[in-house]
Amino acid sequence: MNNHLEAVLKEKHAIRQRLLRPMCQENLPLEAVYHRYVVHMLDLAVTFIEKFETHLETVKNSPHLDANLKQMSKALAKMDILVNKTEELAENILKWRELQTEISLYIPKMLTEERHLHELDIVPPLPFFPKAHTETSRAK
């Protein structure tokens, strides 16, 4: 098969010229029963000729197929790593957002407590995290 394709590649110009030349007054005697099969075969031949260049490129690129598959596997592995990192980052962002909302909800409550303690002249140290967060982190 390989030798045949090499011969076709060598004679590509001559084959194209023969295919472009009209076949006037040349006919094959064919029984009427087989006419529809010949029409179908000619349709397939025309399709093949139209796609001949892509078929040749496919045959030429087949030795590089293993290298291309290896590159694709490496790229897929890198994509998996990036997806995992992105998921981890999104999870961290959501945790940070929850923590920020807890803190922002606790700040007004803390300020009112601080004002009340200032009135009583008792000022405790300011916590960095809300009580709910410190309790859950201690439990871990």
Side-chain angles (χ1 to χ4, degrees):
M1 183 67 177
N2 197 17
N3 291 335
H4 175 69
L5 290 174
E6 287 178 3
V8 168
L9 285 174
K10 288 178 184 175
E11 298 177 12
K12 187 167 79 170
H13 182 69
I15 291 172
R16 278 190 182 156
Q17 293 301 321
R18 283 180 47 205
L19 289 172
L20 292 173
R21 195 174 341 126
M23 301 174 99
C24 296
Q25 310 254 333
E26 294 181 20
N27 58 15
L28 298 172
L30 200 60
E31 294 179 27
V33 178
Y34 302 114
H35 283 199
R36 68 179 177 163
Y37 299 114
V38 171
V39 169
H40 181 66
M41 185 197 66
L42 288 175
D43 185 37
L44 292 175
V46 168
T47 305
F48 177 78
I49 291 168
E50 287 174 351
K51 297 180 179 181
F52 188 67
E53 290 293 327
T54 47
H55 293 313
L56 289 177
E57 287 298 318
T58 304
V59 170
K60 287 179 185 176
N61 290 332
S62 62
H64 305 292
L65 191 61
D66 290 335
N68 291 342
L69 287 175
K70 287 179 185 177
Q71 287 178 348
M72 287 175 59
S73 297
K74 288 179 184 178
L76 185 61
K78 287 180 182 178
M79 283 178 56
D80 284 340
I81 291 170
L82 290 174
V83 165
N84 291 336
K85 286 183 178 180
T86 305
E87 288 174 351
E88 185 179 324
L89 182 62
E91 190 176 310
N92 287 341
I93 288 172
L94 289 175
K95 286 179 184 177
W96 179 81
R97 186 181 291 169
E98 288 175 10
L99 182 63
Q100 293 303 315
T101 54
E102 286 178 16
I103 290 173
S104 64
L105 292 175
Y106 185 71
I107 288 175
K109 184 179 177 183
M110 186 176 61
L111 291 175
T112 56
E113 287 178 6
E114 187 179 339
R115 271 192 232 121
H116 179 67
L117 292 175
H118 271 296
E119 292 171 1
L120 299 174
D121 287 333
I122 305 170
V123 182
L126 293 175
F128 291 104
F129 295 103
K131 292 177 186 175
H133 180 67
T134 54
E135 290 172 3
T136 56
S137 63
R138 286 182 190 161
K140 290 180 186 176

mmCIF file with all atom_site columns, all heavy atoms in Angstrom, residues 50-75:
data_model
loop_
_atom_site.group_PDB
_atom_site.id
_atom_site.type_symbol
_atom_site.label_atom_id
_atom_site.label_alt_id
_atom_site.label_comp_id
_atom_site.label_asym_id
_atom_site.label_entity_id
_atom_site.label_seq_id
_atom_site.pdbx_PDB_ins_code
_atom_site.Cartn_x
_atom_site.Cartn_y
_atom_site.Cartn_z
_atom_site.occupancy
_atom_site.B_iso_or_equiv
_atom_site.pdbx_formal_charge
_atom_site.auth_seq_id
_atom_site.auth_comp_id
_atom_site.auth_asym_id
_atom_site.auth_atom_id
_atom_site.pdbx_PDB_model_num
ATOM 1   N N   . GLU A 1 50 ? -12.207 15.018 -4.752 1.00 0.00 ? 50 GLU A N   1
ATOM 2   C CA  . GLU A 1 50 ? -12.284 16.325 -4.101 1.00 0.00 ? 50 GLU A CA  1
ATOM 3   C C   . GLU A 1 50 ? -11.493 16.347 -2.796 1.00 0.00 ? 50 GLU A C   1
ATOM 4   O O   . GLU A 1 50 ? -10.883 17.353 -2.444 1.00 0.00 ? 50 GLU A O   1
ATOM 5   C CB  . GLU A 1 50 ? -13.749 16.677 -3.812 1.00 0.00 ? 50 GLU A CB  1
ATOM 6   C CG  . GLU A 1 50 ? -14.541 17.041 -5.039 1.00 0.00 ? 50 GLU A CG  1
ATOM 7   C CD  . GLU A 1 50 ? -16.020 17.233 -4.733 1.00 0.00 ? 50 GLU A CD  1
ATOM 8   O OE1 . GLU A 1 50 ? -16.454 16.922 -3.601 1.00 0.00 ? 50 GLU A OE1 1
ATOM 9   O OE2 . GLU A 1 50 ? -16.745 17.691 -5.637 1.00 0.00 ? 50 GLU A OE2 1
ATOM 10  N N   . LYS A 1 51 ? -11.487 15.232 -2.094 1.00 0.00 ? 51 LYS A N   1
ATOM 11  C CA  . LYS A 1 51 ? -10.801 15.157 -0.805 1.00 0.00 ? 51 LYS A CA  1
ATOM 12  C C   . LYS A 1 51 ? -9.417  14.532 -0.910 1.00 0.00 ? 51 LYS A C   1
ATOM 13  O O   . LYS A 1 51 ? -8.808  14.199 0.102  1.00 0.00 ? 51 LYS A O   1
ATOM 14  C CB  . LYS A 1 51 ? -11.650 14.353 0.183  1.00 0.00 ? 51 LYS A CB  1
ATOM 15  C CG  . LYS A 1 51 ? -12.978 15.006 0.488  1.00 0.00 ? 51 LYS A CG  1
ATOM 16  C CD  . LYS A 1 51 ? -13.766 14.189 1.466  1.00 0.00 ? 51 LYS A CD  1
ATOM 17  C CE  . LYS A 1 51 ? -15.090 14.865 1.774  1.00 0.00 ? 51 LYS A CE  1
ATOM 18  N NZ  . LYS A 1 51 ? -15.875 14.101 2.731  1.00 0.00 ? 51 LYS A NZ  1
ATOM 19  N N   . PHE A 1 52 ? -8.920  14.363 -2.137 1.00 0.00 ? 52 PHE A N   1
ATOM 20  C CA  . PHE A 1 52 ? -7.643  13.700 -2.360 1.00 0.00 ? 52 PHE A CA  1
ATOM 21  C C   . PHE A 1 52 ? -6.494  14.375 -1.631 1.00 0.00 ? 52 PHE A C   1
ATOM 22  O O   . PHE A 1 52 ? -5.655  13.720 -1.021 1.00 0.00 ? 52 PHE A O   1
ATOM 23  C CB  . PHE A 1 52 ? -7.366  13.624 -3.870 1.00 0.00 ? 52 PHE A CB  1
ATOM 24  C CG  . PHE A 1 52 ? -6.168  12.808 -4.234 1.00 0.00 ? 52 PHE A CG  1
ATOM 25  C CD1 . PHE A 1 52 ? -6.163  11.440 -4.025 1.00 0.00 ? 52 PHE A CD1 1
ATOM 26  C CD2 . PHE A 1 52 ? -5.056  13.401 -4.795 1.00 0.00 ? 52 PHE A CD2 1
ATOM 27  C CE1 . PHE A 1 52 ? -5.066  10.678 -4.359 1.00 0.00 ? 52 PHE A CE1 1
ATOM 28  C CE2 . PHE A 1 52 ? -3.950  12.654 -5.131 1.00 0.00 ? 52 PHE A CE2 1
ATOM 29  C CZ  . PHE A 1 52 ? -3.946  11.284 -4.920 1.00 0.00 ? 52 PHE A CZ  1
ATOM 30  N N   . GLU A 1 53 ? -6.449  15.702 -1.670 1.00 0.00 ? 53 GLU A N   1
ATOM 31  C CA  . GLU A 1 53 ? -5.368  16.451 -1.008 1.00 0.00 ? 53 GLU A CA  1
ATOM 32  C C   . GLU A 1 53 ? -5.366  16.188 0.502  1.00 0.00 ? 53 GLU A C   1
ATOM 33  O O   . GLU A 1 53 ? -4.310  15.979 1.096  1.00 0.00 ? 53 GLU A O   1
ATOM 34  C CB  . GLU A 1 53 ? -5.503  17.946 -1.288 1.00 0.00 ? 53 GLU A CB  1
ATOM 35  C CG  . GLU A 1 53 ? -5.215  18.337 -2.713 1.00 0.00 ? 53 GLU A CG  1
ATOM 36  C CD  . GLU A 1 53 ? -3.764  18.148 -3.099 1.00 0.00 ? 53 GLU A CD  1
ATOM 37  O OE1 . GLU A 1 53 ? -2.892  18.331 -2.227 1.00 0.00 ? 53 GLU A OE1 1
ATOM 38  O OE2 . GLU A 1 53 ? -3.520  17.815 -4.271 1.00 0.00 ? 53 GLU A OE2 1
ATOM 39  N N   . THR A 1 54 ? -6.553  16.209 1.115  1.00 0.00 ? 54 THR A N   1
ATOM 40  C CA  . THR A 1 54 ? -6.605  15.956 2.564  1.00 0.00 ? 54 THR A CA  1
ATOM 41  C C   . THR A 1 54 ? -6.208  14.526 2.876  1.00 0.00 ? 54 THR A C   1
ATOM 42  O O   . THR A 1 54 ? -5.569  14.266 3.891  1.00 0.00 ? 54 THR A O   1
ATOM 43  C CB  . THR A 1 54 ? -7.999  16.250 3.132  1.00 0.00 ? 54 THR A CB  1
ATOM 44  O OG1 . THR A 1 54 ? -8.980  15.657 2.303  1.00 0.00 ? 54 THR A OG1 1
ATOM 45  C CG2 . THR A 1 54 ? -8.259  17.726 3.271  1.00 0.00 ? 54 THR A CG2 1
ATOM 46  N N   . HIS A 1 55 ? -6.569  13.588 1.992  1.00 0.00 ? 55 HIS A N   1
ATOM 47  C CA  . HIS A 1 55 ? -6.143  12.201 2.203  1.00 0.00 ? 55 HIS A CA  1
ATOM 48  C C   . HIS A 1 55 ? -4.621  12.095 2.140  1.00 0.00 ? 55 HIS A C   1
ATOM 49  O O   . HIS A 1 55 ? -3.999  11.396 2.954  1.00 0.00 ? 55 HIS A O   1
ATOM 50  C CB  . HIS A 1 55 ? -6.766  11.270 1.161  1.00 0.00 ? 55 HIS A CB  1
ATOM 51  C CG  . HIS A 1 55 ? -8.252  11.117 1.274  1.00 0.00 ? 55 HIS A CG  1
ATOM 52  N ND1 . HIS A 1 55 ? -8.893  10.872 2.474  1.00 0.00 ? 55 HIS A ND1 1
ATOM 53  C CD2 . HIS A 1 55 ? -9.221  11.165 0.336  1.00 0.00 ? 55 HIS A CD2 1
ATOM 54  C CE1 . HIS A 1 55 ? -10.194 10.786 2.260  1.00 0.00 ? 55 HIS A CE1 1
ATOM 55  N NE2 . HIS A 1 55 ? -10.425 10.966 0.971  1.00 0.00 ? 55 HIS A NE2 1
ATOM 56  N N   . LEU A 1 56 ? -4.018  12.785 1.186  1.00 0.00 ? 56 LEU A N   1
ATOM 57  C CA  . LEU A 1 56 ? -2.554  12.770 1.071  1.00 0.00 ? 56 LEU A CA  1
ATOM 58  C C   . LEU A 1 56 ? -1.898  13.382 2.299  1.00 0.00 ? 56 LEU A C   1
ATOM 59  O O   . LEU A 1 56 ? -0.884  12.868 2.799  1.00 0.00 ? 56 LEU A O   1
ATOM 60  C CB  . LEU A 1 56 ? -2.109  13.514 -0.194 1.00 0.00 ? 56 LEU A CB  1
ATOM 61  C CG  . LEU A 1 56 ? -2.406  12.811 -1.526 1.00 0.00 ? 56 LEU A CG  1
ATOM 62  C CD1 . LEU A 1 56 ? -1.981  13.706 -2.683 1.00 0.00 ? 56 LEU A CD1 1
ATOM 63  C CD2 . LEU A 1 56 ? -1.698  11.487 -1.596 1.00 0.00 ? 56 LEU A CD2 1
ATOM 64  N N   . GLU A 1 57 ? -2.448  14.484 2.791  1.00 0.00 ? 57 GLU A N   1
ATOM 65  C CA  . GLU A 1 57 ? -1.900  15.113 3.994  1.00 0.00 ? 57 GLU A CA  1
ATOM 66  C C   . GLU A 1 57 ? -2.004  14.176 5.196  1.00 0.00 ? 57 GLU A C   1
ATOM 67  O O   . GLU A 1 57 ? -1.102  14.108 6.023  1.00 0.00 ? 57 GLU A O   1
ATOM 68  C CB  . GLU A 1 57 ? -2.627  16.425 4.285  1.00 0.00 ? 57 GLU A CB  1
ATOM 69  C CG  . GLU A 1 57 ? -2.280  17.544 3.339  1.00 0.00 ? 57 GLU A CG  1
ATOM 70  C CD  . GLU A 1 57 ? -0.815  17.919 3.393  1.00 0.00 ? 57 GLU A CD  1
ATOM 71  O OE1 . GLU A 1 57 ? -0.245  17.986 4.506  1.00 0.00 ? 57 GLU A OE1 1
ATOM 72  O OE2 . GLU A 1 57 ? -0.231  18.138 2.313  1.00 0.00 ? 57 GLU A OE2 1
ATOM 73  N N   . THR A 1 58 ? -3.107  13.451 5.280  1.00 0.00 ? 58 THR A N   1
ATOM 74  C CA  . THR A 1 58 ? -3.287  12.497 6.377  1.00 0.00 ? 58 THR A CA  1
ATOM 75  C C   . THR A 1 58 ? -2.225  11.416 6.314  1.00 0.00 ? 58 THR A C   1
ATOM 76  O O   . THR A 1 58 ? -1.638  11.048 7.333  1.00 0.00 ? 58 THR A O   1
ATOM 77  C CB  . THR A 1 58 ? -4.691  11.859 6.304  1.00 0.00 ? 58 THR A CB  1
ATOM 78  O OG1 . THR A 1 58 ? -5.662  12.892 6.320  1.00 0.00 ? 58 THR A OG1 1
ATOM 79  C CG2 . THR A 1 58 ? -4.921  10.922 7.461  1.00 0.00 ? 58 THR A CG2 1
ATOM 80  N N   . VAL A 1 59 ? -1.961  10.909 5.119  1.00 0.00 ? 59 VAL A N   1
ATOM 81  C CA  . VAL A 1 59 ? -0.941  9.871  4.956  1.00 0.00 ? 59 VAL A CA  1
ATOM 82  C C   . VAL A 1 59 ? 0.442   10.431 5.288  1.00 0.00 ? 59 VAL A C   1
ATOM 83  O O   . VAL A 1 59 ? 1.256   9.764  5.939  1.00 0.00 ? 59 VAL A O   1
ATOM 84  C CB  . VAL A 1 59 ? -0.972  9.299  3.520  1.00 0.00 ? 59 VAL A CB  1
ATOM 85  C CG1 . VAL A 1 59 ? 0.215   8.396  3.250  1.00 0.00 ? 59 VAL A CG1 1
ATOM 86  C CG2 . VAL A 1 59 ? -2.271  8.546  3.302  1.00 0.00 ? 59 VAL A CG2 1
ATOM 87  N N   . LYS A 1 60 ? 0.712   11.669 4.870  1.00 0.00 ? 60 LYS A N   1
ATOM 88  C CA  . LYS A 1 60 ? 2.016   12.271 5.164  1.00 0.00 ? 60 LYS A CA  1
ATOM 89  C C   . LYS A 1 60 ? 2.214   12.496 6.658  1.00 0.00 ? 60 LYS A C   1
ATOM 90  O O   . LYS A 1 60 ? 3.320   12.380 7.174  1.00 0.00 ? 60 LYS A O   1
ATOM 91  C CB  . LYS A 1 60 ? 2.155   13.609 4.435  1.00 0.00 ? 60 LYS A CB  1
ATOM 92  C CG  . LYS A 1 60 ? 2.368   13.482 2.958  1.00 0.00 ? 60 LYS A CG  1
ATOM 93  C CD  . LYS A 1 60 ? 2.462   14.869 2.333  1.00 0.00 ? 60 LYS A CD  1
ATOM 94  C CE  . LYS A 1 60 ? 2.567   14.812 0.842  1.00 0.00 ? 60 LYS A CE  1
ATOM 95  N NZ  . LYS A 1 60 ? 2.571   16.150 0.232  1.00 0.00 ? 60 LYS A NZ  1
ATOM 96  N N   . ASN A 1 61 ? 1.147   12.842 7.370  1.00 0.00 ? 61 ASN A N   1
ATOM 97  C CA  . ASN A 1 61 ? 1.262   13.175 8.791  1.00 0.00 ? 61 ASN A CA  1
ATOM 98  C C   . ASN A 1 61 ? 1.165   11.962 9.698  1.00 0.00 ? 61 ASN A C   1
ATOM 99  O O   . ASN A 1 61 ? 1.344   12.085 10.908 1.00 0.00 ? 61 ASN A O   1
ATOM 100 C CB  . ASN A 1 61 ? 0.177   14.177 9.189  1.00 0.00 ? 61 ASN A CB  1
ATOM 101 C CG  . ASN A 1 61 ? 0.432   15.538 8.576  1.00 0.00 ? 61 ASN A CG  1
ATOM 102 O OD1 . ASN A 1 61 ? 1.562   15.899 8.322  1.00 0.00 ? 61 ASN A OD1 1
ATOM 103 N ND2 . ASN A 1 61 ? -0.626  16.279 8.337  1.00 0.00 ? 61 ASN A ND2 1
ATOM 104 N N   . SER A 1 62 ? 0.899   10.792 9.161  1.00 0.00 ? 62 SER A N   1
ATOM 105 C CA  . SER A 1 62 ? 0.739   9.620  10.028 1.00 0.00 ? 62 SER A CA  1
ATOM 106 C C   . SER A 1 62 ? 1.994   9.267  10.829 1.00 0.00 ? 62 SER A C   1
ATOM 107 O O   . SER A 1 62 ? 1.875   8.801  11.955 1.00 0.00 ? 62 SER A O   1
ATOM 108 C CB  . SER A 1 62 ? 0.250   8.419  9.224  1.00 0.00 ? 62 SER A CB  1
ATOM 109 O OG  . SER A 1 62 ? 1.178   8.055  8.236  1.00 0.00 ? 62 SER A OG  1
ATOM 110 N N   . PRO A 1 63 ? 3.238   9.467  10.329 1.00 0.00 ? 63 PRO A N   1
ATOM 111 C CA  . PRO A 1 63 ? 4.408   9.185  11.190 1.00 0.00 ? 63 PRO A CA  1
ATOM 112 C C   . PRO A 1 63 ? 4.486   10.103 12.408 1.00 0.00 ? 63 PRO A C   1
ATOM 113 O O   . PRO A 1 63 ? 5.060   9.744  13.418 1.00 0.00 ? 63 PRO A O   1
ATOM 114 C CB  . PRO A 1 63 ? 5.608   9.423  10.271 1.00 0.00 ? 63 PRO A CB  1
ATOM 115 C CG  . PRO A 1 63 ? 5.081   9.318  8.897  1.00 0.00 ? 63 PRO A CG  1
ATOM 116 C CD  . PRO A 1 63 ? 3.654   9.752  8.964  1.00 0.00 ? 63 PRO A CD  1
ATOM 117 N N   . HIS A 1 64 ? 3.894   11.286 12.324 1.00 0.00 ? 64 HIS A N   1
ATOM 118 C CA  . HIS A 1 64 ? 3.948   12.240 13.428 1.00 0.00 ? 64 HIS A CA  1
ATOM 119 C C   . HIS A 1 64 ? 2.804   12.029 14.414 1.00 0.00 ? 64 HIS A C   1
ATOM 120 O O   . HIS A 1 64 ? 2.679   12.776 15.375 1.00 0.00 ? 64 HIS A O   1
ATOM 121 C CB  . HIS A 1 64 ? 3.893   13.674 12.887 1.00 0.00 ? 64 HIS A CB  1
ATOM 122 C CG  . HIS A 1 64 ? 4.952   13.965 11.876 1.00 0.00 ? 64 HIS A CG  1
ATOM 123 N ND1 . HIS A 1 64 ? 6.286   14.029 12.183 1.00 0.00 ? 64 HIS A ND1 1
ATOM 124 C CD2 . HIS A 1 64 ? 4.865   14.189 10.536 1.00 0.00 ? 64 HIS A CD2 1
ATOM 125 C CE1 . HIS A 1 64 ? 6.983   14.295 11.095 1.00 0.00 ? 64 HIS A CE1 1
ATOM 126 N NE2 . HIS A 1 64 ? 6.147   14.386 10.072 1.00 0.00 ? 64 HIS A NE2 1
ATOM 127 N N   . LEU A 1 65 ? 1.991   11.036 14.175 1.00 0.00 ? 65 LEU A N   1
ATOM 128 C CA  . LEU A 1 65 ? 0.811   10.825 15.001 1.00 0.00 ? 65 LEU A CA  1
ATOM 129 C C   . LEU A 1 65 ? 1.175   10.525 16.455 1.00 0.00 ? 65 LEU A C   1
ATOM 130 O O   . LEU A 1 65 ? 0.558   11.058 17.382 1.00 0.00 ? 65 LEU A O   1
ATOM 131 C CB  . LEU A 1 65 ? -0.032  9.687  14.420 1.00 0.00 ? 65 LEU A CB  1
ATOM 132 C CG  . LEU A 1 65 ? -1.410  9.492  14.985 1.00 0.00 ? 65 LEU A CG  1
ATOM 133 C CD1 . LEU A 1 65 ? -2.240  10.748 14.747 1.00 0.00 ? 65 LEU A CD1 1
ATOM 134 C CD2 . LEU A 1 65 ? -2.079  8.301  14.341 1.00 0.00 ? 65 LEU A CD2 1
ATOM 135 N N   . ASP A 1 66 ? 2.195   9.677  16.674 1.00 0.00 ? 66 ASP A N   1
ATOM 136 C CA  . ASP A 1 66 ? 2.597   9.344  18.047 1.00 0.00 ? 66 ASP A CA  1
ATOM 137 C C   . ASP A 1 66 ? 3.062   10.582 18.813 1.00 0.00 ? 66 ASP A C   1
ATOM 138 O O   . ASP A 1 66 ? 2.693   10.777 19.970 1.00 0.00 ? 66 ASP A O   1
ATOM 139 C CB  . ASP A 1 66 ? 3.708   8.295  18.043 1.00 0.00 ? 66 ASP A CB  1
ATOM 140 C CG  . ASP A 1 66 ? 3.217   6.928  17.590 1.00 0.00 ? 66 ASP A CG  1
ATOM 141 O OD1 . ASP A 1 66 ? 2.004   6.670  17.751 1.00 0.00 ? 66 ASP A OD1 1
ATOM 142 O OD2 . ASP A 1 66 ? 4.033   6.141  17.082 1.00 0.00 ? 66 ASP A OD2 1
ATOM 143 N N   . ALA A 1 67 ? 3.858   11.419 18.156 1.00 0.00 ? 67 ALA A N   1
ATOM 144 C CA  . ALA A 1 67 ? 4.341   12.632 18.820 1.00 0.00 ? 67 ALA A CA  1
ATOM 145 C C   . ALA A 1 67 ? 3.180   13.564 19.139 1.00 0.00 ? 67 ALA A C   1
ATOM 146 O O   . ALA A 1 67 ? 3.123   14.156 20.222 1.00 0.00 ? 67 ALA A O   1
ATOM 147 C CB  . ALA A 1 67 ? 5.371   13.342 17.931 1.00 0.00 ? 67 ALA A CB  1
ATOM 148 N N   . ASN A 1 68 ? 2.237   13.674 18.209 1.00 0.00 ? 68 ASN A N   1
ATOM 149 C CA  . ASN A 1 68 ? 1.076   14.531 18.445 1.00 0.00 ? 68 ASN A CA  1
ATOM 150 C C   . ASN A 1 68 ? 0.224   14.001 19.594 1.00 0.00 ? 68 ASN A C   1
ATOM 151 O O   . ASN A 1 68 ? -0.279  14.783 20.410 1.00 0.00 ? 68 ASN A O   1
ATOM 152 C CB  . ASN A 1 68 ? 0.224   14.645 17.181 1.00 0.00 ? 68 ASN A CB  1
ATOM 153 C CG  . ASN A 1 68 ? 0.915   15.431 16.085 1.00 0.00 ? 68 ASN A CG  1
ATOM 154 O OD1 . ASN A 1 68 ? 1.863   16.162 16.347 1.00 0.00 ? 68 ASN A OD1 1
ATOM 155 N ND2 . ASN A 1 68 ? 0.465   15.267 14.861 1.00 0.00 ? 68 ASN A ND2 1
ATOM 156 N N   . LEU A 1 69 ? 0.066   12.691 19.665 1.00 0.00 ? 69 LEU A N   1
ATOM 157 C CA  . LEU A 1 69 ? -0.710  12.101 20.763 1.00 0.00 ? 69 LEU A CA  1
ATOM 158 C C   . LEU A 1 69 ? -0.026  12.339 22.102 1.00 0.00 ? 69 LEU A C   1
ATOM 159 O O   . LEU A 1 69 ? -0.692  12.619 23.109 1.00 0.00 ? 69 LEU A O   1
ATOM 160 C CB  . LEU A 1 69 ? -0.921  10.610 20.532 1.00 0.00 ? 69 LEU A CB  1
ATOM 161 C CG  . LEU A 1 69 ? -1.914  10.244 19.435 1.00 0.00 ? 69 LEU A CG  1
ATOM 162 C CD1 . LEU A 1 69 ? -1.939  8.737  19.213 1.00 0.00 ? 69 LEU A CD1 1
ATOM 163 C CD2 . LEU A 1 69 ? -3.304  10.733 19.793 1.00 0.00 ? 69 LEU A CD2 1
ATOM 164 N N   . LYS A 1 70 ? 1.301   12.248 22.139 1.00 0.00 ? 70 LYS A N   1
ATOM 165 C CA  . LYS A 1 70 ? 2.031   12.519 23.379 1.00 0.00 ? 70 LYS A CA  1
ATOM 166 C C   . LYS A 1 70 ? 1.862   13.974 23.804 1.00 0.00 ? 70 LYS A C   1
ATOM 167 O O   . LYS A 1 70 ? 1.667   14.260 24.988 1.00 0.00 ? 70 LYS A O   1
ATOM 168 C CB  . LYS A 1 70 ? 3.516   12.188 23.206 1.00 0.00 ? 70 LYS A CB  1
ATOM 169 C CG  . LYS A 1 70 ? 3.802   10.703 23.158 1.00 0.00 ? 70 LYS A CG  1
ATOM 170 C CD  . LYS A 1 70 ? 5.275   10.423 22.950 1.00 0.00 ? 70 LYS A CD  1
ATOM 171 C CE  . LYS A 1 70 ? 5.521   8.942  22.793 1.00 0.00 ? 70 LYS A CE  1
ATOM 172 N NZ  . LYS A 1 70 ? 6.935   8.631  22.522 1.00 0.00 ? 70 LYS A NZ  1
ATOM 173 N N   . GLN A 1 71 ? 1.936   14.885 22.844 1.00 0.00 ? 71 GLN A N   1
ATOM 174 C CA  . GLN A 1 71 ? 1.743   16.301 23.151 1.00 0.00 ? 71 GLN A CA  1
ATOM 175 C C   . GLN A 1 71 ? 0.329   16.550 23.660 1.00 0.00 ? 71 GLN A C   1
ATOM 176 O O   . GLN A 1 71 ? 0.128   17.323 24.604 1.00 0.00 ? 71 GLN A O   1
ATOM 177 C CB  . GLN A 1 71 ? 2.002   17.158 21.923 1.00 0.00 ? 71 GLN A CB  1
ATOM 178 C CG  . GLN A 1 71 ? 3.465   17.263 21.557 1.00 0.00 ? 71 GLN A CG  1
ATOM 179 C CD  . GLN A 1 71 ? 3.676   18.079 20.292 1.00 0.00 ? 71 GLN A CD  1
ATOM 180 O OE1 . GLN A 1 71 ? 2.737   18.386 19.573 1.00 0.00 ? 71 GLN A OE1 1
ATOM 181 N NE2 . GLN A 1 71 ? 4.925   18.426 20.022 1.00 0.00 ? 71 GLN A NE2 1
ATOM 182 N N   . MET A 1 72 ? -0.644  15.894 23.055 1.00 0.00 ? 72 MET A N   1
ATOM 183 C CA  . MET A 1 72 ? -2.019  16.062 23.511 1.00 0.00 ? 72 MET A CA  1
ATOM 184 C C   . MET A 1 72 ? -2.205  15.508 24.914 1.00 0.00 ? 72 MET A C   1
ATOM 185 O O   . MET A 1 72 ? -2.916  16.091 25.736 1.00 0.00 ? 72 MET A O   1
ATOM 186 C CB  . MET A 1 72 ? -2.989  15.383 22.530 1.00 0.00 ? 72 MET A CB  1
ATOM 187 C CG  . MET A 1 72 ? -3.153  16.133 21.232 1.00 0.00 ? 72 MET A CG  1
ATOM 188 S SD  . MET A 1 72 ? -4.170  15.281 20.023 1.00 0.00 ? 72 MET A SD  1
ATOM 189 C CE  . MET A 1 72 ? -5.707  15.118 20.883 1.00 0.00 ? 72 MET A CE  1
ATOM 190 N N   . SER A 1 73 ? -1.560  14.380 25.221 1.00 0.00 ? 73 SER A N   1
ATOM 191 C CA  . SER A 1 73 ? -1.656  13.815 26.561 1.00 0.00 ? 73 SER A CA  1
ATOM 192 C C   . SER A 1 73 ? -1.038  14.750 27.591 1.00 0.00 ? 73 SER A C   1
ATOM 193 O O   . SER A 1 73 ? -1.594  14.948 28.679 1.00 0.00 ? 73 SER A O   1
ATOM 194 C CB  . SER A 1 73 ? -0.953  12.455 26.610 1.00 0.00 ? 73 SER A CB  1
ATOM 195 O OG  . SER A 1 73 ? -1.585  11.543 25.766 1.00 0.00 ? 73 SER A OG  1
ATOM 196 N N   . LYS A 1 74 ? 0.111   15.325 27.262 1.00 0.00 ? 74 LYS A N   1
ATOM 197 C CA  . LYS A 1 74 ? 0.753   16.275 28.165 1.00 0.00 ? 74 LYS A CA  1
ATOM 198 C C   . LYS A 1 74 ? -0.125  17.499 28.383 1.00 0.00 ? 74 LYS A C   1
ATOM 199 O O   . LYS A 1 74 ? -0.278  17.982 29.513 1.00 0.00 ? 74 LYS A O   1
ATOM 200 C CB  . LYS A 1 74 ? 2.117   16.706 27.623 1.00 0.00 ? 74 LYS A CB  1
ATOM 201 C CG  . LYS A 1 74 ? 3.177   15.624 27.698 1.00 0.00 ? 74 LYS A CG  1
ATOM 202 C CD  . LYS A 1 74 ? 4.487   16.119 27.109 1.00 0.00 ? 74 LYS A CD  1
ATOM 203 C CE  . LYS A 1 74 ? 5.541   15.028 27.090 1.00 0.00 ? 74 LYS A CE  1
ATOM 204 N NZ  . LYS A 1 74 ? 6.789   15.491 26.473 1.00 0.00 ? 74 LYS A NZ  1
ATOM 205 N N   . ALA A 1 75 ? -0.718  18.003 27.304 1.00 0.00 ? 75 ALA A N   1
ATOM 206 C CA  . ALA A 1 75 ? -1.588  19.173 27.415 1.00 0.00 ? 75 ALA A CA  1
ATOM 207 C C   . ALA A 1 75 ? -2.820  18.850 28.260 1.00 0.00 ? 75 ALA A C   1
ATOM 208 O O   . ALA A 1 75 ? -3.262  19.670 29.077 1.00 0.00 ? 75 ALA A O   1
ATOM 209 C CB  . ALA A 1 75 ? -2.013  19.641 26.027 1.00 0.00 ? 75 ALA A CB  1
#
